[in-house]
Amino acid sequence: MNQTATGWPRVVAHADMDAFYAAVEQMDDPSLRGKPVLVGPRSGRGVVLTASYEARPYKVGSAMPMARARRLCPQAVIVPPRFERYQEISQKVMEAFGTFSPDVEAISLDEAFIDMSGAEAIFGGPRAIGEKIKQSVREATGGLTASVGISATKYVAKVASGFRKPDGLTIVPPDEARDWLAPMPVSALWGVGPKTEARLHALGFTTIGQIACTDPAQLEARLGSAGRHLHALAHATDPRRVEGHRRSRSIGSERTLSQDTSDRGEIARYLRRSAEEIGRRLRRKGYRAAGVRVKLKTHDFRILTRQAVMKPPSDEAKELHAAALALLKEFHEAGPFRLVGLAAYDLVREEETPQLDLFAGKARNRKLETAIDALTSRFGRDVLRSGDDLARGRTARVTPNLDFLDDGDGDDEAT
DNA sequence: TCTGGGGTCCTTACCCGG
DNA sequence: TCTGCCGGGTAAGGACCC
């Protein structure tokens, strides 16, 4: 599998940090090294975000309820997440990737595609490229490892990076890709989750090779347009290009409550804090939202949404919150609810929206929110509290928005 | 022992205008 | 004038990803 890239239609690398959040914690705190570490909430209703490799033999993995993880691995050290720190390191990693190619598509904090087509002359063949990418991650982070997959398409590169973990490097030449995928389970296809997997099993498909051998028209008849797509992936065909700068389609903030509630007033207060958070992020990224969506999750896990257009588009918390309150009235279900969420969608760039901020009141509010942005970015999000929060006697810890990053314990109890 | 938070994309239903 | 069809836009929900 170690050959030059000459003749490949494209050279796509996928780099995936190994147990990223847990690895950062172990790097920053030497006392955690060699120990099972779970990043996630210490209490409350939450799940494991990342389990270190020392914890994985205990069958603990991400997305597992923390209570269950603790039972499986009682000696694990539980560390609350520090997203700002992960963001900081992620940025260094992405900058390092940028030295290989202008086409870097960040999928998340710990994962990216790099289009290396045409770069063999500078960096060597796929294996040399992979080694250099891994080396650059170690140097940029101070020792963290990434697993890298290289092939001619995004999908195969992605599967390859997960093939040997941690600290792996897997090269799949395009002419071997189809056979390489064939024995893998259908769940390894991008877009096949538990539901589609069950459907495929019911139709008699268990491996990617079986999908590849089936008439795509037949797959389409049974699975809709997804059928043709899955057939293409099974043939290692994936037309998607590495996209350098994708613009966001929505920005949201949601929160699972420490206890289910039917209290509309309480829900409205969560919506206000979400609106503040979203407004801040919209302004920081230079977007305005032409749509707002409210989400409630019932105690029995049904998700209900209501959405509305915003005219004109806005990036102000006050307006997002007003729209959210109007939408809240559209929910006729009594509850109780376990989650409250707000999202801004149909994002337009600030400069693309008409300047309608000519009303004095509107201009004043926008100035106020921008001033708060400046203060919170300098002194942290606890620096200001709304009168409502103060009146309710909240502790600083749970006041405007920091609690969205909080680990969920003791959420919202008044002091 | 219960089940996160950030998103994207797709499907379906429905309304409306031509 | 009524009906059918079609396409676009919007809303709601669902599946999936990390």
Side-chain angles (χ1 to χ4, degrees), chain A residues 76 106 126 184:
Chain A
M184 295 192 184

Side-chain angles (χ1 to χ4, degrees), chain A residues 70-373:
Chain A
R70 262 203 301 244
R71 264 199 323 285
L72 289 169
C73 186
Q75 69 274 40
V77 184
I78 297 167
V79 183
R82 297 181 298 149
F83 290 105
E84 285 175 14
R85 176 68 176 144
Y86 310 147
Q87 191 117 42
E88 190 184 323
I89 295 187
S90 172
Q91 201 171 334
K92 289 183 188 170
V93 172
M94 297 303 164
E95 281 167 13
F97 293 161
T99 64
F100 289 94
S101 163
D103 299 315
V104 176
E105 180 179 342
I107 300 296
S108 62
L109 287 182
D110 65 336
E111 221 181 291
F113 287 105
I114 311 164
D115 192 334
M116 300 293 293
S117 306
E120 304 104 289
I122 306 166
F123 299 105
R127 187 156 297 276
I129 287 172
E131 295 291 358
K132 286 183 174 116
I133 289 173
K134 285 159 62 69
Q135 178 64 25
S136 78
V137 169
R138 279 192 294 271
E139 287 168 4
T141 60
L144 298 187
T145 61
S147 296
V148 173
I150 299 185
S151 192
T153 61
K154 287 170 91 170
Y155 169 60
V156 180
K158 159 96 183 146
V159 178
S161 72
F163 191 65
R164 264 192 290 272
K165 259 182 154 300
D167 205 13
L169 172 58
T170 304
I171 318 287
V172 183
D175 56 348
E176 296 173 23
R178 198 185 141 182
D179 289 342
W180 184 76
L181 290 171
M184 295 192 184
V186 290
S187 57
L189 288 164
W190 249 65
V192 175
K195 304 273 181 183
T196 313
E197 183 184 20
R199 281 183 77 187
L200 289 169
H201 283 175
L203 292 169
F205 298 109
T206 54
T207 67
I208 293 181
Q210 290 170 325
I211 303 258
C213 292
T214 304
D215 176 16
Q218 201 184 333
L219 286 169
E220 192 171 19
R222 292 174 167 188
L223 298 162
S225 67
R228 213 166 265 276
H229 175 63
L230 295 181
H231 184 263
L233 290 183
H235 277 260
T237 307
D238 181 5
R240 294 169 305 172
R241 291 275 174 264
V242 176
E243 288 181 60
H245 299 283
R246 299 172 61 175
R247 67 189 275 173
S248 305
R249 302 187 64 81
S250 67
I251 291 177
S253 163
E254 60 187 49
R255 167 89 165 154
T256 297
L257 315 177
S258 56
Q259 283 189 326
D260 296 358
T261 185
S262 302
D263 179 353
R264 295 287 168 126
E266 193 180 346
I267 293 170
R269 284 191 292 279
Y270 276 108
L271 289 172
R272 180 176 52 70
R273 285 190 268 163
S274 287
E276 287 168 359
E277 167 75 17
I278 292 165
R280 189 160 41 237
R281 281 156 61 191
L282 286 170
R283 292 190 293 273
R284 177 154 31 96
K285 296 184 173 184
Y287 287 119
R288 291 183 188 193
V292 187
R293 180 160 43 228
V294 171
K295 170 161 129 183
L296 297 179
K297 193 189 274 181
T298 61
H299 65 102
D300 54 348
F301 282 81
R302 283 176 297 121
I303 292 167
L304 310 174
T305 62
R306 293 292 182 272
Q307 63 185 38
V309 297
M310 293 252 286
K311 269 186 191 165
S314 174
D315 59 5
E316 291 174 39
K318 199 176 162 186
E319 298 193 351
L320 297 170
H321 185 226
L325 289 185
L327 284 170
L328 185 55
K329 296 200 179 93
E330 305 286 323
F331 290 89
H332 301 299
E333 177 127 354
F337 302 103
R338 64 167 9 245
L339 173 142
V340 178
L342 181 63
Y345 67 92
D346 274 355
L347 305 185
V348 287
R349 294 234 80 107
E350 215 171 312
E351 58 271 17
E352 295 165 2
T353 57
Q355 291 299 309
L356 292 172
D357 301 348
L358 304 173
F359 311 103
K362 206 166 150 40
R364 200 160 46 229
N365 185 61
R366 193 152 199 294
K367 252 173 138 173
L368 175 67
E369 294 197 12
T370 312
I372 293 173
D373 289 346

Side-chain angles (χ1 to χ4, degrees), chain A residues 38-49 58-76 78 338 407:
Chain A
L38 304 178
V39 177
R42 282 217 170 97
S43 59
R45 329 195 231 188
V47 297
V48 176
L49 294 172
Y58 298 89
K59 306 282 178 208
V60 174
S62 48
M64 176 182 285
M66 191 55 101
R68 183 165 145 75
R70 262 203 301 244
R71 264 199 323 285
L72 289 169
C73 186
Q75 69 274 40
I78 297 167
R338 64 167 9 245
D407 51 10

